[in-house]
Amino acid sequence: MDYQWSDGLWKPQADDLNRLMEVSKPGTRIGHQAPTGTGKTRKAVELFLWAQSQGLGGIFFVNRKILIPQTLRQLEAAGLHTGVRAAEYEDMFDADAPFQVSSAPSEHARVYKSQKWQLHEMPPGSIVVVDEAHLQKSKVMQNLVYYYVNAGCRVILITATPVGMKKWMDQCVVGAPLKEWRDVGALVPVYTFTISQPDMRKVKRNATGEYLMDDRKRRYYTQHIVGDVLAGFKQNDRGNGTMLYAPCVKSSRFLVQEAAKVGIDLIHVDATEAIIDGKEYSLTRTLWDDVIGMVKNREVHGLSSRFKCREGLDIPQADLCILATPVGSLASYLQICGRIMRASPGKTDAILQCHGGSYWTHGSCNVDQDWQSLWQLSEHAASTFHQDQIKNNQEREPIRCGECGMERRSGNTCPKCGFKHEKSVRKVVQEDGELKEVTGNLVRKKRRKEMPDTADLWARMFYGFRNKRLEKSFSQLEAWFFRTHGYWPSRNLKFMPRHAIDWKAKVYEVPMSSLIGSSKEKLH
C-alpha cells in the first residue's frame, strides 16, 4: 500500500500493520496476534489515522472499562476526534465523533435493550478494533462483530494469545517474532526459576485448560509453599515491582499477610477489594489508579492477586513474577509472563519465580508459539499441546538446574550458575504436602507398538470418525484406539497427521493432503 505510517514506529510494528492491511478487506474479520508490550493500542491508532485519511471512521472495543481513559488519551493525542460509549462515561458521549472508544456490554445494553443510543454507523471500509479479543468472546460481542462485518467494516481482533478463536476470525495475522521485539527494545527476556511445583499429573482440567483444584487443595498447597515463596522473593527481588499470583483469593490474602510479617509489603487486589497495610478498601477506579501508582513509585513491593492482574496491567518496570499457583491455561500463562516482559529504562531482563510447574507445563515464554495453528484449536487443546509433545517424544522435557533452580531447554550446563549435570532435579509437592525430590523426567512417555493388523484397525477407526463427522480430535481417536485395543499405535501409519499440531484438530477437519500416505479412496 502507498500509505505512509507515522514516524517513530518500531520496524516490527510497521511490518505488522502492512501485513494487516494486505489481508483486511471490507466485510472481513481478521485476527492479529501481537505479544503484550508491543504497542497494540499504538497500532490501532495508526489504523484509525489511515481511516481518517480515507474519510472513514473507527471504533475501539476495550475489554475493561478501566482501560477507557488511557485508550482515549492515546487516540486524542494523535489528533483523532473521539467519543466514549460506555456506562459511567456518559459525560464523554459524543455521537458525532468519527472515532469511538466503547465497552461492548454498554453498547449492547443501550442500543438493543434500552434503545438509548443508535449504533455507531461508519462508512464501509472503516476500522473496528476488538482489543484483548480472546477475553471478549461473548454473544454480545458476536452480535456487534456481525453487525459491523455486514456493514462492510474491517474488523480486527487483536490479542497476544489467540486461542479458541476459530469461530471468530477469517484468518490470523501473526505478529513479528519475539526476538525482533527484543532486538528493538520493546521486550526483555525472562529467566525462570522453579522453586517447587505441585504434582498435577492426575489433576483434571476444564475447557480452558485450567486445573480443577477445589478450595481446600488450593489453601493446602499455599500453606506448604509459603516459606519458599517468601525466601524466593528475598533472593530475586530487585526493588522494581513484583506481581504475585495465588491459586485463590483467600490464598492471596494469606500470602500478603505472611509477607508483611517478614517486611515484604504487598497489596492484595481482587475484583472488588484491595487490602493495603492490613486494611480492606473497596476497589474503586480511583483507588486502582492509586494502587498502580504506589507500585510504580516503589512505595510498596508489588501486587498479589488471583485473576485481577493477569491481563491488561501496564507496569513496565516490574521485573519479578511469582507464580504461587499452577496455571493450566496456555493463554493465562503467557498473559501473566507478559506483565514482566515489557521493556523499561534500565531493565535488561525479568525473573519468573515459579512454584506451579508452568515452564514444565507450557515451556519457555521466550519462545514463539505456533499461533498460525494454535488459533484454530480449542483452549483446552492449545493448553495441553506442549505436554502431549513430550509424552509422544516430539519434544524434550525441560531441565531444571539442581543447584539454582533455573529452567533451560537443553544442555548439561546451567547458563546461570555454571553447574553441570545431565538430569533435571525437581522438588514436587505431593497431595499430602510431602516434598519429594524427583530426578529425571516427570512425564511418562507413551510406549508404542505396531501389530500386523494395526494399520488396518487404525484406518477403519479413522474413516469411522471422519465419515460420521464426530466432534473428536485425532488425539481422542488415538485414545479410543488405546481403550479398544490396549496399546498405543505407532505414529507413522497411513491416515495419521503429518504435523504435530493436527493431532489436536478434529478428524474430519484435517485435509486428506495433510495425512500420511493418504488417498481419497475409502477402505472396504
Side-chain angles (χ1 to χ4, degrees):
M1 60 182 295
D2 296 330
Y3 182 78
Q4 183 67 42
W5 305 111
S6 301
D7 293 335
L9 284 177
W10 287 314
K11 183 179 182 300
Q13 287 177 325
D15 290 344
D16 286 354
L17 287 166
N18 287 331
R19 284 195 292 268
L20 272 173
M21 293 308 294
E22 284 177 8
V23 300
S24 179
K25 308 298 180 186
T28 58
R29 305 169 304 164
I30 304 300
H32 177 42
Q33 183 277 328
T36 297
T38 59
K40 295 192 291 292
T41 306
R42 174 66 190 279
K43 292 180 193 175
V45 169
E46 289 295 318
L47 292 170
F48 287 167
L49 287 171
W50 170 85
Q52 181 174 255
S53 73
Q54 305 297 310
L56 306 174
I59 186 166
F60 187 101
F61 285 103
V62 296
N63 69 303
R64 291 191 299 167
K65 286 187 290 185
I66 203 168
L67 301 176
I68 288 175
Q70 67 185 52
T71 306
L72 179 64
R73 285 194 295 269
Q74 290 191 57
L75 268 62
E76 290 184 331
L80 295 164
H81 179 194
T82 307
V84 175
R85 301 167 68 89
E88 302 175 29
Y89 291 89
E90 280 81 3
D91 58 315
M92 300 180 184
F93 182 77
D94 183 352
D96 296 327
F99 298 93
Q100 301 284 336
V101 178
S102 179
S103 161
S106 297
E107 183 87 10
H108 199 269
R110 281 158 174 72
V111 171
Y112 291 103
K113 293 183 179 179
S114 68
Q115 297 183 342
K116 183 178 179 180
W117 297 343
Q118 295 293 317
L119 271 163
H120 180 55
E121 296 185 4
M122 297 177 290
S126 295
I127 301 288
V128 176
V129 174
V130 180
D131 192 29
E132 302 291 0
H134 66 287
L135 294 177
Q136 301 209 57
K137 295 183 293 185
S138 66
K139 185 67 175 178
V140 166
M141 179 55 75
Q142 190 175 59
N143 290 340
L144 293 168
V145 166
Y146 283 156
Y147 167 80
Y148 285 111
V149 167
N150 291 333
C153 294
R154 294 174 166 88
V155 176
I156 298 176
L157 302 108
I158 303 180
T159 171
T161 52
V163 294
M165 301 295 292
K166 185 174 182 178
K167 295 180 179 179
W168 289 80
M169 301 175 177
D170 298 320
Q171 60 180 298
C172 184
V173 174
V174 177
L178 287 168
K179 184 179 183 303
E180 289 190 23
W181 296 112
R182 290 193 289 265
D183 287 346
V184 299
L187 303 177
V188 299
V190 175
Y191 298 102
T192 302
F193 295 85
T194 296
I195 312 303
S196 57
Q197 66 185 71
D199 188 350
M200 305 300 293
R201 289 172 293 179
K202 297 181 180 179
V203 179
K204 293 182 178 180
R205 297 184 178 192
N206 64 16
T208 67
E210 286 289 4
Y211 292 110
L212 295 172
M213 296 174 67
D214 58 33
D215 284 343
R216 183 191 65 82
K217 286 184 179 179
R218 291 190 182 103
R219 292 196 300 271
Y220 195 66
Y221 173 65
T222 305
Q223 291 165 358
H224 277 84
I225 66 167
V226 62
D228 284 341
V229 168
L230 301 179
F233 171 86
K234 290 188 174 181
Q235 177 179 327
N236 296 319
D237 174 53
R238 293 179 281 194
N240 298 317
T242 296
M243 301 292 115
L244 189 152
Y245 299 89
C248 61
V249 171
K250 291 181 180 178
S251 295
S252 176
R253 290 169 172 258
F254 170 73
L255 287 167
V256 168
Q257 181 181 1
E258 294 301 303
K261 293 177 182 178
V262 294
I264 302 171
D265 190 7
L266 299 172
I267 297 176
H268 161 79
V269 289
D270 56 47
T272 60
E273 291 185 328
I275 298 180
I276 307 173
D277 292 331
K279 297 180 181 179
E280 296 185 8
Y281 300 89
S282 177
L283 189 61
T284 63
R285 196 169 75 207
T286 300
L287 180 59
W288 177 241
D289 289 340
D290 291 342
V291 165
I292 299 301
M294 292 171 72
V295 179
K296 289 184 175 180
N297 295 329
R298 295 176 170 82
E299 297 172 34
V300 294
H301 287 104
L303 304 176
S304 176
S305 68
R306 184 191 182 194
F307 292 123
K308 179 70 174 177
C309 299
R310 290 192 178 192
E311 311 193 35
L313 184 66
D314 186 8
I315 307 179
Q317 72 192 51
D319 61 3
L320 174 59
C321 172
I322 301 177
L323 269 180
T325 179
V327 179
S329 163
L330 173 66
S332 288
Y333 167 65
L334 294 176
Q335 289 286 346
I336 287 170
C337 292
R339 298 314 107 206
I340 58 171
M341 292 179 75
R342 293 175 184 267
S344 181
K347 179 179 173 181
T348 58
D349 58 53
I351 293 175
L352 178 63
Q353 177 185 317
C354 187
H355 303 263
S358 290
Y359 192 107
W360 175 78
T361 304
H362 301 298
S364 171
C365 62
N366 297 315
V367 176
D368 292 302
Q369 303 288 330
D370 182 11
W371 292 120
Q372 201 55 255
S373 300
L374 288 173
W375 75 269
Q376 302 181 69
L377 300 183
S378 69
E379 293 180 75
H380 185 279
S383 297
T384 56
F385 179 70
H386 179 71
Q387 285 285 287
D388 283 355
Q389 286 287 88
I390 296 174
K391 289 179 182 178
N392 293 301
N393 292 302
Q394 301 296 311
E395 192 170 318
R396 294 183 60 182
E397 193 164 339
I399 300 171
R400 175 186 179 274
C401 176
E403 189 72 18
C404 71
M406 182 174 168
E407 298 275 8
R408 64 182 187 274
R409 300 179 70 193
S410 60
N412 65 353
T413 302
C414 175
K416 175 66 176 179
C417 68
F419 182 65
K420 291 186 177 182
H421 58 109
E422 296 289 343
K423 293 185 177 180
S424 177
V425 179
R426 296 184 180 277
K427 296 178 180 179
V428 182
V429 181
Q430 306 298 301
E431 190 172 359
D432 60 1
E434 179 186 352
L435 194 64
K436 182 179 179 182
E437 189 172 279
V438 179
T439 302
N441 293 332
L442 289 179
V443 177
R444 183 179 298 176
K445 306 295 190 299
K446 290 179 178 177
R447 295 183 179 181
R448 300 183 176 277
K449 62 181 179 180
E450 186 172 346
M451 306 292 284
D453 61 346
T454 300
D456 185 57
L457 292 172
W458 174 264
R460 292 181 185 280
M461 278 193 168
F462 161 76
Y463 273 113
F465 274 55
R466 191 177 185 90
N467 292 342
K468 293 178 181 178
R469 298 181 69 83
L470 298 179
E471 295 295 313
K472 304 292 183 182
S473 67
F474 271 97
S475 291
Q476 290 171 307
L477 167 58
E478 186 182 46
W480 183 250
F481 186 101
F482 174 79
R483 285 194 293 269
T484 304
H485 302 293
Y487 66 94
W488 297 101
S490 300
R491 277 202 167 182
N492 58 357
L493 301 177
K494 190 175 182 180
F495 306 125
M496 285 185 168
R498 299 178 188 275
H499 310 292
I501 198 75
D502 284 338
W503 280 94
K504 290 292 187 179
K506 292 182 177 64
V507 172
Y508 71 85
E509 291 182 338
V510 178
M512 295 294 286
S513 59
S514 296
L515 305 180
I516 296 173
S518 62
S519 70
K520 294 185 179 180
E521 298 176 4
K522 290 188 178 181
L523 293 183
H524 297 286

